[in-house]
Amino acid sequence: MTDRWALAPAEDGGVEIAPLGPGGVLAGPVLRVADPAEAVRGLPDVTRWVWRSTAETYPRLLATGVRVERCYDVEDAETLLLGHEGRYGEPRSAAAALARLRGGPVPPDPPQRSAEPGSQSPLFEPQAAHVPLADLVEVYAEQQRRHDSTAHPDRMRLLTAAESAGMLVAAEMNRAGLPWSAEVHRRVLHDLLGERYAGGGEPRRLAELADEVSDAFGRRVRPDLPADVIKAFAQAGIKVKSTRRWEIESIDHPAVKPLVEYKKLYRIWVAHGWSWLQDWVRDGRFRPEFLAGGTVTGRWVTNGGGGLQIPKVIRRAVVADPGWRLVVADADQMEPRVLAAISRDPGLMEVAGRESDLYQSVSDRAFSGDRAQAKLAVLGAVYGQTSGDGLKNLAALRRRFPKAVAYVDEAARAGEEGRLVRTWLGRTCPPAAGATEDTAEEAGIPAAEEDSDDRQPARSEWTPGYASTNARARGRFARNFVVQGSAADWALLLLAALRRTCAGMAAELVFFQHDEVIVHCPEEEAETVVAAIRDAADLAGRLTFGQTPVRFPFTTAVVECYADAK
DNA sequence: AGTTTCGGCGCC
DNA sequence: AAAGGGCGCCGAAACT
């Protein structure tokens, strides 16, 4: 009996399981059982289940009330390992990995499933090629060896384990759902937008604002059509090349105020209005379908419902069940703290070793107390700001925190030159040169092309606001990647630790947004959860970055309504 | 008629 | 004041 077992569907609809030994190879006979829940229930001492895909397997376990302690997601690990090996874009399915191992033709990955309101997953899962358990184990064992060939095997093993844990968390969050009051949501919509008119047209407030805009221009103008608005401004003698808010807000014209207000409310109406409520909220829960590691940087995405873009005003509708609370926890200045941890800059580590406001400390040291300037400088360094006050501020930052700035500068240089860039744990941002242009662009990576000022963008530019060369864009991307991605590494460890604590309680993780987590729990568990978050943050910091003075404090709030946090 | 891209803005 | 990273979503516009 070992504590690590593999699980794979059998061709006839049953399930095969088998114990694994050192090196990840089979350590006993392959057993057949009727369904995965039975298998897991029957082996309570197993601490890690190795399977092809968490998204495929785990929801069915959860549906029968079965949770697992840990898992290893072979296809997710394959993606991370391929990335680390500079083979980003190669098919990542277990079937493809097996084919590469055996030297056969490599099948392409099945197409991505599209979002469908209210769909409860596995029904729509694209049919992946069946991989028998013995073959899956072969892939797994080979992956264990591939970990050893990475730059930092321990970190890479931590990364694949952490992301597998993240996938368990995501599946559990998807099952739990975010407590959502449709009644409060409707009240907020009515307060902001007014009555709805029959026929599904604009609500009252939007219609009024559209009238105000039209009156100001002296003719009928549709405020939701940028082309129409640009033309209307032109006729009023004002040249504007877009209708972005920061551009039109500075214009002195009576249409500006109602126009800006219209755009704000229009956004709420179309993205989080009545039809969103209809589509995405069922039985008092919003289920945004979290997908761990959905982006190249490792940040999560949600598949449908705009789950990570809930507008502040709409958060009023997130309400705990009676007698329960929401523990809302927000990491304080996560990105600069991560930069301190990965760059080992002595000054920044010292500042990040305190729990107090990091931007204030930075500004005390380098910006004579101007916190806003300090924050701008730090974010400018992380994002690769190219103009404005950012450059001046960057110089001050560089003087005080040279290693920190050098770290992101080096990442940017590597990106520009098409070299590999990795997060602290080893998630790899592919150089476009390592893949074909098509696959790179599909993956959201700017294609490797020589700089040339007279070159026109081929078609759709990788980022909006084409303003510099592709190499520079790749540099900014890589610069940000090491920080944002390492922060995502850390966040996975945080979630895994927090999940373990919550496992013994009624508390459930219900929301996660980059550096913010919400736990839904009975009131009497709230203080325990608050402490658990603090402990999890400490543990995640130690596990992820090793010995470091950097602290990762959270601001936590115990509330009945999300909008009341912070 | 169906699919892809664009513009704009929500979140971090 | 201005424009640098990552996403998803929507309707309209631009295509096949």
Side-chain angles (χ1 to χ4, degrees), chain A residues 211-545:
Chain A
D211 287 345
E212 286 179 44
V213 171
S214 296
D215 289 347
F217 281 123
R219 73 166 175 88
R220 194 71 219 164
V221 173
R222 293 260 315 259
D224 56 324
L225 301 186
D228 201 15
V229 172
I230 289 172
K231 208 190 308 169
F233 272 121
Q235 284 162 358
I238 300 165
K239 270 184 129 164
V240 40
K241 55 187 213 300
S242 81
T243 64
R244 287 185 164 85
R245 197 166 70 221
W246 71 73
E247 192 171 349
I248 57 175
E249 239 166 11
S250 57
I251 297 170
D252 182 24
H253 188 279
V256 168
K257 193 160 171 282
L259 182 59
V260 168
E261 180 70 4
Y262 179 96
K263 289 161 85 73
K264 194 177 122 203
L265 294 178
Y266 176 81
R267 166 78 194 168
I268 301 284
W269 179 51
V270 297
H272 285 90
W274 291 277
S275 58
W276 179 93
L277 185 58
Q278 177 79 32
D279 287 343
W280 293 104
V281 176
R282 287 268 184 288
D283 305 321
R285 292 291 187 271
F286 167 43
R287 291 191 170 78
E289 216 174 326
F290 288 93
L291 186 62
T295 74
V296 282
T297 61
R299 276 191 172 185
W300 293 24
V301 294
T302 59
N303 193 5
L308 299 185
Q309 296 95 233
I310 305 168
K312 293 252 165 69
V313 286
I314 300 297
R315 295 178 180 187
R316 184 59 58 191
V318 181
V319 181
D321 289 348
W324 287 51
R325 294 293 183 271
L326 300 168
V327 180
V328 181
D330 204 303
D332 301 331
Q333 311 99 32
M334 177 179 62
E335 288 184 335
R337 290 177 187 277
V338 166
L339 177 56
I342 62 180
S343 69
R344 297 331 209 210
D345 180 280
L348 198 55
M349 279 197 297
E350 193 196 318
V351 165
R354 293 194 286 268
E355 303 221 337
S356 54
D357 183 354
L358 183 142
Y359 293 124
Q360 187 59 53
S361 305
V362 168
S363 74
D364 291 343
R365 286 178 164 236
F367 295 91
S368 29
D370 187 338
R371 184 183 184 278
Q373 291 248 314
K375 182 172 181 180
L376 213 63
V378 171
L379 295 179
V382 172
Y383 291 157
Q385 192 156 26
T386 54
S387 64
D389 284 356
L391 286 186
K392 183 185 74 201
N393 291 333
L394 191 59
L397 199 71
R398 197 187 301 277
R399 276 196 300 278
R400 297 290 186 159
F401 308 104
K403 269 187 88 175
V405 177
Y407 191 93
V408 287
D409 282 351
E410 164 53 23
R413 198 158 45 244
E416 288 183 22
E417 294 168 4
R419 281 147 48 210
L420 293 174
V421 169
R422 308 186 199 283
T423 67
W424 185 255
L425 291 186
R427 186 188 305 273
T428 304
C429 163
T436 72
E437 255 174 50
D438 282 351
T439 54
E441 282 183 15
E442 259 170 46
I445 305 307
E449 288 171 35
E450 286 309 307
D451 272 9
S452 147
D453 284 339
D454 57 359
R455 190 188 61 79
Q456 292 301 310
R459 40 188 180 92
S460 67
E461 204 45 46
W462 166 62
T463 56
Y466 180 80
S468 61
T469 64
N470 270 346
R472 290 226 171 270
R474 288 203 309 278
R476 287 192 300 273
F477 176 78
R479 172 190 295 269
N480 179 252
F481 179 89
V482 294
V483 179
Q484 189 186 113
S486 298
D489 292 349
W490 169 81
L492 283 174
L493 273 293
L494 168 87
L495 287 171
L498 186 54
R499 172 177 182 267
R500 280 179 73 80
T501 313
C502 289
M505 306 193 280
E508 284 187 310
L509 284 152
V510 292
F511 189 71
F512 170 61
Q513 187 178 36
H514 315 312
D515 63 349
E516 181 177 2
V517 61
I518 301 181
V519 177
H520 187 221
C521 66
E523 191 202 342
E524 54 277 16
E525 287 183 359
E527 284 314 310
T528 309
V529 170
V530 169
I533 288 165
R534 193 186 53 230
D535 294 346
D538 285 349
L539 182 60
R542 282 200 306 275
L543 286 176
T544 307
F545 302 112

Side-chain angles (χ1 to χ4, degrees), chain A residues 122-188:
Chain A
L123 289 170
F124 296 90
E125 198 69 24
Q127 61 292 16
H130 179 252
V131 177
L133 182 131
D135 292 341
L136 184 73
V137 170
E138 219 178 290
V139 171
Y140 172 64
E142 174 66 12
Q143 285 183 349
Q144 296 310 296
R145 289 190 286 276
R146 286 158 70 192
H147 278 80
D148 292 331
S149 310
T150 61
H152 300 279
D154 289 347
R155 294 190 204 169
M156 195 67 192
R157 275 190 281 272
L158 190 56
L159 178 63
T160 53
E163 192 149 274
S164 284
M167 293 188 156
L168 294 179
V169 173
E172 288 166 8
M173 280 185 180
N174 294 341
R175 174 146 190 94
L178 184 63
W180 198 279
S181 165
E183 187 193 331
V184 172
H185 190 165
R186 282 193 206 96
R187 196 160 66 231
V188 170

